[in-house]
Amino acid sequence: MTSATERVVIVGAGQAGGRAAEALRAAGFAGEIVLIGEERHAPYERPRLSKSLLLREEPSSAALLHPRDWYTAHAVTMRTRTRVEAIAPKSQTVITAEGQRFEYSKLLLCTGSRVRPLSGAPDGLPGVHYLRTLEDSERLAAELVPGRRLVVIGGGFIGLEVASSALKRGLAVTVLERQSALLDRVLPAAIAAHVASLHATHGVTLRLGVPVARIHGNAAVKSVELADGAELAADIVVIGVGIIPNTELAETAGAASSDGLTVDEHCRTSLDNVYAAGDVTNHYNPILRRRVRLESWQNAQNQAIAAARNIAGVSEPYAEVPWFWSDQLGANIQMVGVAEPGMDIVWRGSRVAFGLVEGSLRLAVAFNAGGEIRFARRLIEARAQLPRERLADPAHKLKDLLTEATCSASTP
Ligand SMILES: Cc1cc2nc3c(=O)[nH]c(=O)nc-3n(C[C@H](O)[C@H](O)[C@H](O)COP(=O)(O)OP(=O)(O)OC[C@H]3O[C@@H](n4cnc5c(N)ncnc54)[C@H](O)[C@@H]3O)c2cc1C
């Protein structure tokens, strides 16, 4: 049990930080909660930033987890515009940039990630954008004027969502990707090709397999030059070449880290009484049987809840099959599991693709067919051998395959 004299300090008031504060109270934590974040907003979720907010379909406030008075009502002391500069693990204290000190009984790090800068890109050139914060989204939304030419550098999910929103707002859009396929880090090429054809069919120009050499412009961006010498005129450039987890604060205090802060199934870092959740972590996933660093809404929410419950004394491992969604050009794309090199790809009609390793399901991707994802997730959990031809045949329900797989697993 926790006592009213305990204090949990949460560093990072993003999605994970906000959800953790909520989950601490839901789990009955009666002590003090201090939530410290360097942005000026109360915690908000980022997925809308590249979708409805760029399309100006909703106000920015739609992204907030809760209105500010929710935090007061739940006795969460929120310090926005406040950066934590250091952790002193021996005295169990965090120190802010202004020198304020907060002692903690337990510390939860939800410092998330920041955009990876494109090397050689000019700093602060008008018309060149990155997208991570509400302000980034508002600035970009204001520039999405019909008829303008947008060049997106990076064919990952965020770049492709920006392309989709900009196309819908009447811009001419080109996506550049240095790899030979879109979504190279997260999807097998055979499935990513489906996303590429979706964009090409809607009129997005794709240039794959050529790195960017330079961005040109003096008072404002004018063009993007490719390594093959081609020069593309641009009124707006959006750079989406990945993120970097914000691990430095904890690393400096001595926390173990390797492609994200190392945490165990209970979200504990290597420092006593210090936990972490969300984009910043690298956790052991018992279902996948390996460590992963995830950049997703699901992980930010559910790992934060798991961390909070463990802090509140409910010992509970965090074990979920990774799930991600993206909305592009009228397609709702959902993926469950993770891609692995050399996967055997099986299409079930034209809207669902599976990735198998040695006959067992590890990845499913659904295009406007989210209903299949629930069973695919459970088939991944079951790790059963699945007959390729029945997976490929939409006449065979996944639900039935799951029943067979779980029955044969329980038969002695
Ligand atoms: C444009 C966009 C669209 C996305 N769309 C999807 C989607 O469709 N589906 C999906 O699954 N995922 C999506 N994601 C990913 C998802 O939003 C992230 O995985 C999630 O936001 C991670 O949450 P987090 O709380 O771990 O980190 P963050 O959201 O990065 O929050 C961390 C917070 O900590 C603060 N901070 C960092 N260091 C300090 C410090 N030292 N002191 C004080 N504060 C600090 C930061 O300022 C930030 O506010 C999207 C992300 C973006 C940017």
Side-chain angles (χ1 to χ4, degrees), residues 374-385:
R374 183 157 62 105
F375 295 109
R377 181 200 312 256
R378 294 181 56 197
L379 282 166
I380 293 173
E381 279 168 353
R383 277 194 166 247
Q385 291 291 307

Side-chain angles (χ1 to χ4, degrees), residues 11-17 36-39 44-51 82-85 110-113 131-132 158 161 246 249 277-280 294-298 300 323-327:
V11 179
Q15 183 188 344
I36 308 175
E38 67 179 327
E39 291 191 62
Y44 61 92
E45 295 182 343
R46 299 185 195 272
R48 283 183 163 82
L49 271 48
S50 47
K51 306 177 184 73
T82 304
R83 182 173 172 77
V84 171
E85 284 292 356
C110 298
T111 49
S113 49
L131 180 54
R132 183 80 198 168
I158 289 178
E161 288 189 351
N246 290 321
L249 176 70
D279 273 17
V280 73
L294 301 171
E295 304 165 3
S296 73
W297 178 95
Q298 176 209 31
W323 170 80
F324 186 91
W325 95 96
S326 174
D327 292 315

